[in-house]
Amino acid sequence: MDDRTLPLPGLSPVLNKPIVARFDGGLLSSDAGVLALREVEKRLGVAERLAGCLVDSRSQDQVIHSLADMIRFRLMMIAAGYEDGNDATSLRSDPIFKMAQGMLPSDRDLASQSTISRLENLPDLRSLLRMGRAMIDLYCASFSLVPKRIVLDIDDTFDAVHGGQQLRLFNAHHDEYGFQPIVVFDGDGRFVTAVLRPAKRPKGSEIRAHLRRLIRAMRANWPNTRILIRGDSHYCGPLVIDWCRKNDVDFILGVAPTSILRNHVETLEVSTKARFGAAPHEGKVRRFKEFLDGAASWSRVERIIARVEAGDQGADTRFIVTNLTDGKARVLYEDVYCRRGSAENHIKSWKTHLAADRTSCTRATANQFWLFLHAGAYWLMWGLRAMMPKRSTWRVAQFDTLRLRLIKIAARVVELKTQIRLHMPSACPYQDILRVVLGRIPRLVT
């Protein structure tokens, strides 16, 4: 066994002075900012919400780690950049992670990797359905007042897998096996829900069933709130449109171009290209047209908006369909529909910065639970960012930036009889913003 009191070899001297480095610093941690995430989690109650959806069949008189404690530990790990459950082996004795669980640095260690693995395989289908509802309730609880109107962006994303996972499917476009979960965010970047599914384009009946469960849970919290669904042409189909109209849900969806739709804009395309050709130095020319039409499979004609843009590469035409009666065509396209592109950034934060695409478990139920765990970590980071000053660059910082600058802070932990002291670097460049955030967290809506 290695002796940690021996100095590290191979370090060259500085100005003829030898460097003696040993792993004997005592209770140290490189993640002092996790304590800020602890305050966010206490306000949101993510771990308790998810744990309340599980059935704990263990003998309670022998339980050491509660379900909520294990889930909270897992959320903190993911938010701090430790997305693999195996990382619990080294982090279970970390003093900061212990304190984030409401324990003293000298208390027993946290849950081990094997315990975390059993947790991830615990949920069954009914538990996952309850968790989906709990995530929606968490979303609704994040508002201080009931909103008059919300915008929900629905999209899907590809997760590559490299094993024999349940529900995996080969996707020819990505040339890989994987999943293609449907995810929903609101217009402000709050996470709403995620559903694991095979890597193929969702059918109208599947989208309709997903929206039915989602809207039913939303209206259980907010019966009078107007809901607008935004999505690309994947989600535009007769079943979806008819369901939205029947259930008084607004929609604005992309439409795949067809010859019938193009017939409406032939003249506009020609004149737009002529305008650009007359003054190419002024940049692209963009024009709009709206009309009533619909596919043969639709039950009625709908309001269609066409955007025609001419530039160096020729004319480019896009179509959207909506049941919104107010608003000009340009406003609905540029200020309403195009803003759904921000959902791609939210998916990036969830996947790239929080590793939500590490759906490596064999069972589909375990992978769905992974999506919810990473959604919970997303809420912790979103809550931390929401407490930033509104006009600062921190308010739009990526999650990996927040982690690098505010979570990854070294600290020496000293446990005394009456208090616990954290000695953090005096030269920490972001100590001022951390003070501001910790002072604002009590205002976070629960």
Side-chain angles (χ1 to χ4, degrees):
M1 187 175 181
D2 294 336
D3 187 352
R4 297 188 178 185
T5 62
L6 294 177
L8 285 176
L11 297 178
S12 57
V14 175
L15 296 178
N16 296 322
K17 288 189 177 182
I19 299 176
V20 181
R22 295 187 177 94
F23 290 102
D24 59 354
L27 289 179
L28 300 174
S29 176
S30 59
D31 301 288
V34 166
L35 294 179
L37 294 180
R38 176 197 180 217
E39 301 304 320
V40 175
E41 199 283 326
K42 285 176 64 177
R43 300 292 295 173
L44 296 177
V46 184
E48 295 290 346
R49 290 177 185 271
L50 294 179
C53 302
L54 296 171
V55 177
D56 192 352
S57 58
R58 300 174 296 174
S59 298
Q60 295 303 305
D61 58 336
Q62 300 181 18
V63 168
I64 298 177
H65 309 289
S66 69
L67 294 178
D69 287 342
M70 289 188 286
I71 291 176
R72 188 178 298 108
F73 182 29
R74 193 73 179 91
L75 296 181
M76 298 295 180
M77 288 171 56
I78 295 170
Y82 306 101
E83 69 271 7
D84 198 323
N86 293 334
D87 294 320
T89 302
S90 56
L91 294 175
R92 62 193 302 244
S93 59
D94 187 291
I96 293 295
F97 279 91
K98 287 184 181 181
M99 294 168 63
Q101 294 284 67
M103 300 168 55
L104 296 175
S106 58
D107 283 345
R108 56 171 171 77
D109 287 350
L110 303 176
S112 64
Q113 175 271 328
S114 57
T115 304
I116 293 294
S117 294
R118 287 192 292 271
L119 168 69
E120 292 173 349
N121 285 277
L122 177 62
D124 57 10
L125 183 58
R126 290 182 179 274
S127 298
L128 293 172
L129 290 174
R130 290 193 291 267
M131 284 186 187
R133 176 61 184 267
M135 295 303 298
I136 296 173
D137 291 341
L138 171 61
Y139 166 75
C140 294
S142 67
F143 288 78
S144 58
L145 299 173
V146 176
K148 295 182 179 179
R149 186 184 190 89
I150 59 171
V151 179
L152 300 181
D153 293 315
I154 183 170
D155 206 348
D156 50 71
T157 181
F158 181 77
D159 291 349
V161 299
H162 306 284
Q165 288 92 337
Q166 294 176 350
L167 293 184
R168 75 167 191 156
L169 189 68
F170 184 79
N171 186 288
H173 176 75
H174 296 278
D175 196 27
E176 287 185 281
Y177 282 92
F179 304 123
Q180 195 163 322
I182 292 177
V183 292
V184 180
F185 294 87
D186 81 347
D188 295 324
R190 293 177 174 87
F191 196 101
V192 182
T193 191
V195 178
L196 188 76
R197 52 182 304 281
K200 61 180 180 179
R201 181 173 179 172
K203 296 181 179 179
S205 57
E206 181 183 357
I207 299 169
R208 180 181 61 182
H210 182 55
L211 289 177
R212 182 188 297 118
R213 291 190 296 270
L214 174 62
I215 301 303
R216 182 185 300 154
M218 287 279 185
R219 286 182 170 164
N221 289 277
W222 300 329
N224 299 317
T225 298
R226 297 294 304 175
I227 300 174
L228 172 64
I229 301 294
R230 289 192 302 205
D232 60 19
S233 57
H234 275 48
Y235 299 91
C236 179
L239 294 179
V240 175
I241 292 176
D242 289 345
W243 184 88
C244 288
R245 282 197 171 276
K246 182 179 179 181
N247 291 273
D248 196 27
V249 175
D250 297 330
F251 61 86
I252 184 164
L253 306 168
V255 182
T258 64
S259 57
I260 295 177
L261 295 179
R262 287 194 176 279
N263 289 337
H264 288 276
V265 294
E266 283 183 352
T267 303
L268 184 63
E269 286 180 342
V270 172
S271 61
T272 303
K273 285 191 288 186
R275 285 192 181 186
F276 174 77
H281 59 280
E282 295 183 2
K284 293 181 179 180
V285 178
R286 174 178 286 192
R287 301 173 69 190
F288 294 86
K289 181 179 180 179
E290 64 175 90
F291 51 89
L292 296 177
D293 206 336
S297 58
W298 294 5
S299 61
R300 53 169 290 171
V301 296
E302 300 285 352
R303 183 185 184 188
I304 307 288
I305 295 173
R307 186 273 286 159
V308 178
E309 187 174 84
D312 293 332
Q313 305 298 320
D316 176 63
T317 303
R318 303 290 177 88
F319 298 93
I320 61 173
V321 58
T322 182
N323 63 343
L324 297 174
T325 57
D326 298 331
K328 296 182 179 180
R330 179 183 292 273
V331 172
L332 289 177
Y333 184 87
E334 294 183 341
D335 296 342
V336 181
Y337 177 75
C338 285
R339 290 189 179 181
R340 63 164 294 278
S342 60
E344 298 291 339
N345 294 327
H346 307 326
I347 292 175
K348 175 184 175 182
S349 298
W350 186 52
K351 287 180 59 178
T352 305
H353 304 152
L354 297 175
D357 55 351
R358 289 203 57 174
T359 44
S360 56
C361 297
T362 301
R363 298 172 57 190
T365 52
N367 285 322
Q368 176 64 67
F369 186 36
W370 267 55
L371 294 185
F372 286 144
L373 287 174
H374 288 265
Y378 179 99
W379 270 106
L380 299 188
M381 298 301 288
W382 183 91
L384 184 66
R385 187 173 62 186
M387 292 298 98
M388 299 294 176
K390 289 186 177 181
R391 296 187 179 182
S392 71
T393 57
W394 293 96
R395 196 60 176 262
V396 293
Q398 295 187 147
F399 287 171
D400 58 344
T401 300
L402 295 179
R403 178 190 298 132
L404 180 63
R405 299 182 180 180
L406 299 182
I407 306 301
K408 298 294 182 181
I409 301 176
R412 180 165 61 94
V413 182
V414 179
E415 181 181 348
L416 303 176
K417 185 175 181 179
T418 58
Q419 63 181 215
I420 301 172
R421 291 181 180 176
L422 296 183
H423 298 272
M424 293 183 283
S426 301
C428 178
Y430 308 110
Q431 51 187 291
D432 291 339
I433 190 65
L434 191 59
R435 292 177 186 274
V436 171
V437 170
L438 287 173
R440 288 172 170 236
I441 287 177
R443 309 178 200 172
L444 188 63
V445 177
T446 58

